[in-house]
Amino acid sequence: MASLMSAKRKDLSPIVHLYEPLSQAEDTAIKSDATSSGPPNLIILAGWAGAKLRPISKYVQGYQRLYPAARILVTQSQFFDLAFRTLRSTQKRLDPALEVVQAAACANERILLHSLSNGGAFIATQLAVKYRLATGNPLPIRAHIIDSAPGVATIRRGMAASAAAAPKGWLRPLVLGVLYAFCFTIWLTSRVFKTVNVVDRIRRGLLNNEILAAKRQISYIYSKTDQVIGFEDVEEHATEAEEKGLKVKRVVYEKSAHVAHAVADPGRYWSTVSETWEQA
C-alpha cells in the first residue's frame, strides 16, 4: 500500500498533495455516475498542525482501503499558520487545493471532508472561505469528520497544544517559550479587548452554513482523556451544531490521546467514517 501511495501522490505545493490511486479509465467510469448516491469521489483530509506526511499517510491508507476509488486531497499546516500567518496568506497557500475542489464541484462529485485537531479544522474552514469567495457558494461537502476538535482558547490547553506541536531537539525550549508567550497574549487580548481569537474563529467557521454545505452530516470523534482538546468543549460545539439544525453524531473514546483515536480502535474509527458517509 505504501509504495502505491508514493507512486500515485502528486505534490501540488509544499502543503497540498493529491493521491489518485486509479487508472484514468476507471476514474472516468466512476465520475460518470457522480451525482447519484455512492462512495465519495473526493476526500479532503486536513492534517493537524505540525503533522508530517508520514503520520497523515495512516489516514490516507485507511481511506484507500475504505474507498479505493476516491481521490484524496491532503493539506498540511503548522502552528505558525494559526499563530502568526495572516488569513489572506493562509488562503493564498491553498490555491492548489481550491483548484482541485472547484473541478470536483463542477463535475458534481461527492465530497467528504475530514479535519484533524484545531490545525486541520482551521485549514478546512479557510479553504471553505476561499471557495465561498471564489464561487459565491458554500463548500459542497456531504459529510464532515471532525477529529479532536474544536477546543477553546485557554492557557492550559494552548500550552498543551504548543507542547504537541513544538519540534524536538535543542530548539524545543526556545520554540516552546515563544509559543507559550503567544498563547498567553491571545488569551489576554481576547479577555481584555474582546477580540476574536483563532480558536473562536475555528469554532464559528465549523458551524457557518455560508461556507460549509448546510445539509452536511457531522461526526465528532473525541476523547475524555485528550490533554489538548477538552471533551466538554467538543460536546458543547456538537450541541450548538444540533441547535442549528445540523445532523450530528458523537463518538467519544474513553482513553485515547489527541488525534490517536484511529490508533486506539481502528475498527470503530473507520466504521464511524463509513456510517457517517452512509447517513449523509
Side-chain angles (χ1 to χ4, degrees):
M1 179 68 74
S3 61
L4 173 62
M5 286 171 46
S6 299
K8 295 294 184 178
R9 191 184 83 211
K10 295 180 180 179
D11 297 321
L12 305 182
S13 81
I15 66 164
V16 179
H17 316 274
L18 184 65
Y19 294 86
E20 294 189 278
L22 301 180
S23 69
Q24 186 62 43
E26 291 171 308
D27 192 42
T28 301
I30 289 169
K31 286 183 181 179
S32 66
D33 196 34
T35 57
S36 66
S37 60
N41 303 108
L42 177 66
I43 297 160
I44 303 171
L45 181 59
W48 63 97
K52 304 296 185 182
L53 280 179
R54 186 165 186 172
I56 294 175
S57 72
K58 301 299 182 182
Y59 295 88
V60 174
Q61 291 174 0
Y63 272 116
Q64 288 182 323
R65 286 189 291 266
L66 192 60
Y67 304 120
R71 292 174 299 144
I72 304 171
L73 180 66
V74 172
T75 62
Q76 294 175 275
S77 66
Q78 299 294 331
F79 197 85
F80 182 89
D81 297 322
L82 284 75
F84 303 109
R85 196 181 300 278
T86 65
L87 296 179
R88 179 173 295 183
S89 175
T90 296
Q91 293 168 17
K92 179 64 178 177
R93 284 159 58 86
L94 293 172
D95 279 347
L98 177 64
E99 293 179 9
V100 174
V101 174
Q102 281 187 294
C106 288
N108 292 318
E109 292 188 3
R110 299 178 292 270
I111 303 175
L112 183 153
L113 174 61
H114 189 144
S115 56
L116 295 148
S117 190
N118 277 344
F122 174 71
I123 292 298
T125 52
Q126 288 308 303
L127 176 59
V129 168
K130 190 174 182 67
Y131 184 87
R132 171 77 180 187
L133 292 173
T135 68
N137 299 311
L139 190 66
I141 60 173
R142 295 195 183 187
H144 188 180
I145 307 296
I146 305 178
D147 182 326
S148 304
V152 296
T154 66
I155 294 179
R156 183 170 69 89
R157 297 294 184 185
M159 291 177 68
S162 299
K168 296 180 180 179
W170 66 272
L171 274 177
R172 183 176 176 83
L174 177 61
V175 173
L176 279 176
V178 173
L179 294 179
Y180 288 168
F182 172 78
C183 291
F184 178 75
T185 302
I186 289 295
W187 175 83
L188 184 63
T189 54
S190 62
R191 288 297 184 90
V192 175
F193 301 106
K194 306 300 181 182
T195 57
V196 178
N197 60 61
V198 65
V199 179
D200 289 340
R201 184 175 286 110
I202 291 168
R203 293 181 70 87
R204 296 179 185 182
L206 292 173
L207 297 179
N208 189 345
N209 291 340
E210 292 187 358
I211 64 171
L212 293 168
K215 294 184 178 180
R216 65 193 181 279
Q217 171 74 42
I218 302 175
S219 281
Y220 293 87
I221 304 178
Y222 55 103
S223 171
K224 291 184 177 180
T225 55
D226 190 333
Q227 297 300 305
V228 177
I229 301 292
F231 76 94
E232 305 95 334
D233 303 328
V234 177
E235 291 182 342
E236 179 183 356
H237 195 267
T239 298
E240 292 177 21
E242 290 171 332
E243 291 172 349
K244 288 179 67 70
L246 295 168
K247 299 176 290 183
V248 172
K249 180 182 181 71
R250 307 171 190 227
V251 182
V252 59
Y253 285 67
E254 294 295 326
K255 296 182 179 180
S256 53
H258 188 61
V259 290
H261 321 310
V263 175
D265 191 343
R268 184 187 182 196
Y269 191 92
W270 292 106
S271 291
T272 296
V273 171
S274 178
E275 291 166 5
T276 301
W277 182 257
E278 291 171 0
Q279 295 166 2

